[in-house]
Amino acid sequence: MSTHGRWTLTRYLIEERRRFPQSSGELNALILDVSLACKAIARIVAYGKLDDAVGLPQPPQSAGAINVQGEEQKPLDVLSNELFMRMNEWNGHLAGMASEEMEAPFQIPESYPRGKYLLVFDPLDGSSNIDVNVSVGSIFSILRAPDDVIASGRDVTEADFLQPGREQVAAGYAIYGPSTQLVLTVGNGVAVFTLHPTLGEFILVADKVRVPEDTKEFAINTSNSRFWEAPIKRYVDECLAGKTGPRGKDFNMRWIASMVAEAHRILMRGGVFMYPRDTKDPSKPGRLRLLYEANPVGMIMEQAGGRASTGRQPILGVMPTSLHQRIGLVFGSKNEVERIERYHAEPAPSVAPAPLFSERSLFRA
Ligand code: F6P
Ligand code: MN
């Protein structure tokens, strides 16, 4: 499909739906409400510290509290969470919601009808970057509610959300950068929309995006290198060894500490992102959250021909065990992710590595 003629998000969704004449249009309506939450968050993020000066709503009292992740909730985290809930609780398409900012699932209030989908989201990812005016984003995942939930309209439980990422019906993220963009998959490739600043519409700027299969760019927080497992150490060492190393080419490194921004760079020009399982804190098997960070980004990557993995298995195949579960995550250019998976699958070398790399390695224990 060409992008000629400037399709809006609404038109894109309607054209997609035409492929499924039986469908009710509820998913489309839900995605439009999610996109409205993202537009509203783009506005509040754009005001930065000016929020009280311009009379925007003040964050509820809980700002400054510690969320379920043990992280400080910033006022914008709380406001973004509120916007997601208020824009989506009323529409009748949802059986329930879950968010990084709420320990338990959110029940659709009794005053509204309940529907067949579950919405899971990280309303403001990378929010520590707000203070320094670096890109942040919102991430969302849409699942079908279990049949008995749909049939009975009962309250949702944590267990209803514990579905592997392969079950996602749609997923995406919004990135609040120099421009606001929405990146979406409904299972037919990945489309990118830019928020038109005066029309207030998301306009299609790229469709069927493909992540290049090869790359010379990697992203990892190297301050954790002493906690990495051997396969990750090996992979990064080999990248750092450059032209004269086993890879035979020089690599470039990036680390924004804002996963949405990182995922977006990789979607547009390739690369590999790693926040692997490490030994830093045995109670946390990885940093990122499976249900509302790894799975939606994993679906976007796979739909764009990239790959997303724990290092040991595809992210989308992982059966979740809890709502806020953390996991090691590697995603991006297919051939690099597959290489990292190979390194995990190979038995650890029993002999000392070649002297070249013993001497040159920056990350040897
Ligand atoms: O929500 C997690 C997150 O903010 C990601 O967006 C980002 O990739 C990561 O944490 C950064 O972690 P660190 O501060 O350890 O580099
Ligand atoms: Mn996050």
Side-chain angles (χ1 to χ4, degrees):
M1 183 202 69
S2 108
T3 58
H4 181 73
R6 300 258 173 224
W7 286 17
T8 59
L9 173 61
T10 309
R11 176 163 180 191
Y12 173 87
L13 291 170
I14 289 173
E15 301 276 359
E16 274 301 307
R17 189 189 143 205
R18 287 189 176 137
R19 298 189 307 118
F20 303 98
Q22 267 39 280
S23 70
S24 65
E26 283 174 85
L27 178 66
N28 283 0
L30 172 58
I31 291 171
L32 287 174
D33 285 333
V34 169
S35 80
L36 186 57
C38 295
K39 286 185 206 177
I41 295 169
R43 293 299 299 164
I44 58 169
V45 166
Y47 278 98
K49 293 225 187 270
L50 294 175
D51 52 0
D52 35 9
V54 295
L56 281 168
Q58 286 302 293
Q61 290 307 312
S62 58
I66 302 296
N67 72 7
V68 61
Q69 319 294 333
E71 291 157 358
E72 188 199 337
Q73 278 182 318
K74 296 186 175 281
L76 284 178
D77 287 322
V78 177
L79 256 182
S80 306
N81 194 55
E82 284 286 312
L83 284 165
F84 255 85
M85 288 190 300
R86 298 292 89 79
M87 301 289 181
N88 289 290
E89 66 186 353
W90 62 274
N91 55 30
H93 308 312
L94 288 175
M97 295 186 235
S99 157
E100 172 171 343
E101 302 301 333
M102 298 183 290
E103 180 149 21
F106 174 85
Q107 307 298 345
I108 301 301
E110 283 187 0
S111 45
Y112 302 122
R114 289 181 172 181
K116 64 182 176 199
Y117 293 110
L118 299 172
L119 177 64
V120 192
F121 52 92
D122 178 352
L124 200 58
D125 178 63
S127 60
S128 65
N129 282 305
I130 290 278
D131 294 340
V132 290
N133 202 13
V134 166
S135 297
V136 291
S138 304
I139 317 173
F140 60 91
S141 161
I142 298 174
L143 296 161
R144 239 187 107 83
D147 289 344
D148 78 293
V149 173
I150 301 173
S152 66
R154 67 160 166 81
D155 277 5
V156 285
T157 64
E158 175 171 6
D160 299 325
F161 291 83
L162 304 184
Q163 306 180 29
R166 287 253 180 267
E167 301 292 325
Q168 292 173 106
V169 177
Y173 60 80
I175 176 167
Y176 313 116
S179 63
T180 291
Q181 293 191 298
L182 183 80
V183 173
L184 174 72
T185 180
V186 290
N188 185 29
V190 175
V192 179
F193 304 83
T194 298
L195 182 60
H196 193 297
T198 51
L199 286 178
E201 288 279 359
F202 279 111
I203 308 291
L204 185 65
V205 292
D207 192 11
K208 303 278 192 287
V209 179
R210 303 298 290 174
V211 177
E213 291 189 355
D214 292 296
T215 184
K216 291 177 164 185
E217 205 159 65
F218 68 100
I220 191 165
N221 182 345
T222 51
S223 70
N224 292 324
S225 61
R226 66 191 183 284
F227 304 112
W228 294 341
E229 297 176 335
I232 296 291
K233 279 192 177 143
R234 173 181 172 193
Y235 178 79
V236 174
D237 272 355
E238 290 182 359
C239 292
L240 294 173
K243 262 205 180 84
T244 53
R247 301 299 307 273
K249 60 182 185 181
D250 289 335
F251 278 76
N252 191 16
M253 201 203 84
R254 290 281 180 273
W255 188 250
I256 308 173
S258 185
M259 191 189 52
V260 168
E262 228 97 52
H264 197 61
R265 182 189 63 245
I266 289 170
L267 182 73
M268 300 321 293
R269 72 171 188 214
V272 61
F273 171 100
M274 293 163 277
Y275 215 124
R277 187 175 91 181
D278 63 27
T279 59
K280 192 174 186 175
D281 177 350
S283 72
K284 291 181 183 165
R287 164 97 163 85
L288 299 169
R289 276 53 64 108
L290 175 58
L291 285 180
Y292 40 81
E293 293 178 323
N295 276 344
V297 167
M299 184 175 182
I300 292 282
M301 289 296 144
E302 285 210 357
Q303 284 286 321
R307 198 168 167 87
S309 172
T310 64
R312 293 168 173 83
Q313 69 174 115
I315 264 294
L316 299 184
V318 175
M319 186 67 206
T321 53
S322 68
L323 201 52
H324 299 287
Q325 176 179 354
R326 294 179 191 257
I327 196 139
L329 177 62
V330 176
F331 68 77
S333 294
K334 188 165 172 279
N335 291 338
E336 294 301 304
V337 177
E338 282 175 355
R339 175 182 288 270
I340 294 166
E341 289 177 316
R342 266 199 321 275
Y343 289 4
H344 281 86
E346 284 172 12
S350 51
V351 289
L356 177 66
F357 298 107
S358 304
E359 275 164 34
R360 291 197 176 183
S361 168
L362 290 184
F363 295 125
R364 291 196 55 75

